[in-house]
Amino acid sequence: QTLAQMETRHFIVESSAGPDSKGSFSMVAKDALKLTDGKKAQAPVLSQGELSADISAGATSITLAPVGIGSEYQTGTGETKYLNLSGEEVASYTNLAGGDTFNIVRGLFNTTAVDHEAGARAQLCLRYVNQKVSAIIENLLITYANVPASYISSSDWEIEDDAYINKLYSSLVAEPESAHDLINELLQQTASTIWWDDVAKLIRFRVLKAVST
């Protein structure tokens, strides 16, 4: 065969070694879904802000440390974000200026407003509201696992979703979790699957169903 006649398959190079004393060279390659593994592919990303002082259960504003960290908690116009305080309480807030001090609404998502000590972590939550499962999985892959957008055919995924799932999903992820685990949870709930097509260089999405003759 000439090079033009050969079939090309695409993989992510995980590691390589050599050449050794015998001139051998080795390479370990994985499919693109390998990018969802490990601590680097977590959703939401681990937040670095923490409470600069104790707050009571009745407090309606917080100040975060270190100084300047508020820029990471900035919200857009009309946007509401959510915080997980100490792993015990969920609160909502808006912070248009990106300042270190801002108002919060306490005890949301079946949690209770409680006292928190200085140094408690203020973790940004990941919120999905009325989205297709295919769109959520695509967001987790691109935003949190750094999968290239060119590996996903959004239109094909949406057609499959509309035809066989046709439901909207909402969720709040309050602590950093593996993108791999979150995606698998969605696939199990919707009886669907994704896999790496190494010839087409695409991640495929399908709902499990009877195959027509």
Side-chain angles (χ1 to χ4, degrees):
Q1 287 181 315
T2 65
L3 279 176
Q5 292 173 315
M6 293 180 183
E7 185 176 70
T8 301
R9 295 179 178 270
H10 305 269
F11 296 93
I12 303 294
V13 176
E14 184 176 60
S15 63
S16 61
D20 59 18
S21 58
K22 296 180 180 180
S24 297
F25 185 89
S26 63
M27 181 181 297
V28 177
K30 304 284 187 177
D31 68 46
L33 293 176
K34 176 68 176 178
L35 295 172
T36 65
D37 293 344
K39 293 182 179 180
K40 291 184 179 179
Q42 289 192 324
V45 176
L46 183 67
S47 298
Q48 301 301 317
E50 58 185 39
L51 296 180
S52 65
D54 297 352
I55 63 170
S56 67
T60 58
S61 69
I62 59 173
T63 300
L64 299 183
V67 174
I69 194 68
S71 61
E72 297 184 13
Y73 294 79
Q74 189 167 4
T75 58
T77 303
E79 180 184 24
T80 297
K81 289 187 177 182
Y82 296 87
L83 289 176
N84 174 7
L85 300 174
S86 309
E88 299 176 346
E89 177 189 351
V90 175
S92 67
Y93 75 95
T94 56
N95 184 13
L96 293 174
D100 294 343
T101 300
F102 48 86
N103 293 330
I104 59 174
V105 178
R106 311 284 301 274
L108 304 179
F109 289 90
N110 296 316
T111 64
T112 302
V114 295
D115 298 344
H116 299 283
E117 296 180 353
R121 186 161 55 90
Q123 172 64 49
L124 277 168
C125 301
L126 176 60
R127 177 75 167 134
Y128 293 110
V129 181
N130 294 333
Q131 294 195 34
K132 297 177 181 180
V133 68
S134 57
I136 296 175
I137 294 175
E138 180 178 358
N139 176 259
L140 288 169
L141 288 171
I142 295 174
T143 305
Y144 298 98
N146 293 316
V147 170
S150 61
Y151 290 0
I152 299 172
S153 177
S154 302
S155 58
D156 290 342
W157 284 31
E158 189 172 357
I159 290 171
E160 183 78 2
D161 196 331
D162 289 344
Y164 299 104
I165 299 177
N166 196 29
K167 292 181 180 178
L168 300 179
Y169 288 77
S170 298
S171 183
L172 182 90
V173 185
E175 286 283 359
E177 295 189 36
S178 163
H180 178 274
D181 292 344
L182 292 172
I183 291 170
N184 276 340
E185 191 174 321
L186 288 166
L187 294 176
Q188 290 173 15
Q189 290 185 16
T190 56
S192 53
T193 186
I194 58 174
W195 74 96
W196 175 240
D197 184 338
D198 53 38
V199 175
K201 201 177 179 181
L202 288 171
I203 296 174
R204 303 290 191 182
F205 171 77
R206 290 289 182 275
V207 178
L208 302 178
K209 52 190 180 293
V211 179
S212 59
T213 56

